[in-house]
């Protein structure tokens, strides 16, 4: 099968399309033919030697976690799916899922049935951003009707899902985004939009119950604390909680927590497919390799930007399914 392999740590130029062994489903696993994946920040951060690279290890490896596709085969003991079922999921995170490839194997319970209302491209753009938003706002913050929520980077991949999750729960939603995105935020139901390029949000909003910070700098964290009510909750998603923010929160009577999963551990666990890529790397003769992908692999290249509007239109159906 083909896979878009990160041959080294670096920019898009380290990506190449390789022929690698197709993984086989073990008992309880399914083999999924990948119809669509997506490009998330964690993918390029990992490719560059940050992100989940401490979990995955040294290149060559295959990034990508979002998967939408068709069950090709099932391992012994799988009762949830049969070949031909359309599924989506975010398998193995933070281990290597190797979704920039023709096929992925993972435990069957790491996939859900793809709603018919979603195309493969829409479903493939959904899991990582939607699960991040859901875990933060529903499972961690337990937002409910009337909760005042401030979402930084509200028009981004995670943010625009978070807005919809929050609105579906009846929250009052304030979002930061550049002015060009304010119409988009209004369409999603945001109650107040703040142009972060021209307005200091810390002067524009107060008495917030929950801040979902998808920017994640120390400066954003410190200023976010000031807009929280006493006992309010700041969720720091990108890289965990900056030290100064962790110290300042309790001093101000505010709660601070990382968004799942925070910083990657230092383990070296490898997901399925890794061994095959490594074997392929060991025996690779560069002359055998197809043209370098240059970051434009066949499926990996379904950019989130391209599908953002589609995702927005269909997210409600996806979450409801
Ligand atoms: N730890 C986890 O589990 C986890 C999971 C998912 C994502 N993340 C991280 O969360 C971050 C966001 O991910 P994403 O997928 O939503 O990224 P994205 O789709 O690239 O969105 C980034 C957004 O950030 C906005 N932005 C940039 N600077 C800003 C600022 N100073 N104030 C407010 N908004 C600003 C941009 O808004 P404009 O276009 O309006 O300028 C853009 O829409 C990334 O760092 C990602 O790695 C972490």
């Amino acid at each position: 099968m083909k896979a878009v392999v990160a041959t080294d740590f670096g920019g898009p130029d380290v990506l190449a399309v390789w022929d690698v062994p197709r993984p086989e489903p073990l008992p309880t696993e399914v083999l999924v033919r990948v119809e669509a994946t997506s490009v998330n920040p964690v993918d390029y951060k990992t490719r560059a030697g940050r992100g989940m690279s401490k979990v995955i290890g040294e290149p060559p490896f295959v990034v990508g976690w979002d998967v939408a596709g068709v069950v090709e085969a099932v391992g012994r003991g799988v009762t949830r799916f049969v070949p031909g079922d359309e599924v989506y999921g975010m398998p193995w995170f933070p281990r290597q899922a190797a979704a920039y490839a023709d096929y992925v194997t993972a435990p069957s319970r790491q996939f859900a049935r793809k709603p018919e209302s979603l195309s493969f491209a829409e479903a493939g753009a959904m899991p990582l951003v939607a699960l991040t938003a859901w875990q933060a706002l529903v499972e961690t913050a337990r937002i409910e009707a009337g909760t005042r929520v401030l979402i930084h980077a509200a028009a981004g991949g995670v943010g625009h899902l978070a807005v919809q999750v929050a609105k579906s729960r009846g929250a009052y939603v304030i979002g930061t985004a550049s002015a060009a995105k304010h119409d988009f935020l209004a369409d999603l139901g945001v109650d107040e939009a703040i142009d972060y390029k021209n307005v200091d949000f810390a002067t524009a909003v107060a008495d917030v119950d929950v801040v979902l910070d998808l920017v994640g700098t120390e400066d954003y964290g410190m200023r976010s604390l000031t807009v929280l009510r006493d006992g309010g909750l700041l969720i720091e998603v990108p890289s965990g909680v900056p030290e100064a923010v962790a110290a300042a929160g309790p001093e101000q009577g505010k709660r601070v927590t990382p968004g799942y999963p925070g910083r990657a551990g230092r383990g070296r666990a490898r997901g399925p497919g890794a061994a095959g890529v490594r074997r392929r790397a060991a025996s690779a003769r560069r002359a055998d390799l197809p043209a370098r992908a240059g970051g434009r692999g066949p499926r990996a290249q379904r950019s989130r930007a391209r599908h953002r509007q589609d995702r927005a239109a269909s997210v409600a159906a996806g979450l409801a399914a």
Side-chain angles (χ1 to χ4, degrees):
M1 71 170 188
K2 304 280 188 211
V4 179
V5 177
T7 58
D8 200 350
F9 289 133
D13 56 316
V14 304
L15 294 173
V17 179
W18 283 13
D19 287 310
V20 300
R22 197 176 90 166
E24 294 294 329
L26 296 174
T28 76
E29 291 185 350
V30 290
L31 173 70
V32 175
R33 188 177 75 244
V34 179
E35 293 291 330
T37 182
S38 62
V39 180
N40 287 290
V42 69
D43 301 5
Y44 69 73
K45 290 176 184 178
T46 302
R47 188 195 63 216
R50 299 176 284 119
M52 296 302 144
S53 61
K54 290 196 174 84
V55 177
I56 290 180
E58 300 292 316
F61 53 67
V62 179
V63 294
W65 280 274
D66 280 335
V67 173
V70 179
V71 174
E72 181 87 4
V74 299
R76 190 160 44 83
V78 172
T79 55
R80 280 163 65 78
F81 301 116
V82 296
D85 283 347
E86 297 181 349
V87 296
Y88 71 151
M90 190 187 101
W92 295 114
F93 193 88
R95 297 177 189 237
Q96 183 175 191
Y100 290 10
D102 287 332
Y103 293 91
V104 162
T105 48
S108 63
R109 290 186 183 279
Q110 296 189 5
F111 288 99
R113 228 167 260 280
K114 181 181 81 63
E116 284 181 13
S117 57
L118 296 184
S119 68
F120 282 112
E122 290 165 344
M126 185 77 73
L128 194 144
V129 287
L131 288 171
T132 301
W134 183 270
Q135 285 170 342
L137 293 179
V138 178
E139 295 180 356
T140 301
R142 301 186 183 281
I143 59 166
E144 52 193 19
T147 304
R148 279 171 64 81
V149 182
L150 170 62
I151 299 171
H152 291 308
V158 177
H160 87 292
L161 269 293
V163 165
Q164 292 168 87
V165 168
K167 289 307 300 178
S168 73
R169 298 254 148 174
Y172 184 88
V173 178
I174 306 152
T176 60
S178 53
K181 308 277 178 65
H182 285 200
D183 285 347
F184 174 56
L185 291 188
D187 287 347
L188 298 181
V190 161
D191 297 287
E192 289 177 49
I194 298 171
D195 173 10
Y196 69 88
K197 291 185 174 166
N198 292 305
V199 177
D200 176 2
F201 68 84
T203 65
V205 49
D207 285 329
V208 169
D209 297 302
V210 177
V211 178
L212 178 61
D213 182 7
L214 298 163
V215 176
T217 58
E218 181 179 313
D219 168 60
Y220 258 62
M222 295 301 269
R223 280 194 285 146
S224 294
L225 287 175
T226 69
V227 307
L228 279 172
R229 65 162 170 80
D230 285 350
L233 175 67
L234 168 60
I235 304 175
E236 290 286 2
V237 171
S239 309
V241 183
E243 273 179 30
V245 179
E251 283 169 14
Q252 298 177 26
K254 319 282 168 68
R255 295 171 294 149
V256 186
T257 184
Y260 177 84
R263 290 188 189 281
R266 298 195 75 80
R268 311 290 283 183
R270 304 186 198 294
V277 171
R278 277 161 209 288
R279 276 202 304 280
R280 174 66 181 81
S283 62
R285 283 178 297 140
R286 304 297 299 188
D288 291 341
L289 302 180
R292 291 175 74 82
R296 300 169 59 82
R299 297 190 172 94
Q301 102 128 315
R302 299 179 185 211
S303 81
R304 293 169 328 120
R306 207 171 96 215
H307 295 301
R308 186 160 290 147
Q309 296 289 345
D310 292 344
R311 281 192 316 197
S314 55
V315 65
L319 290 172

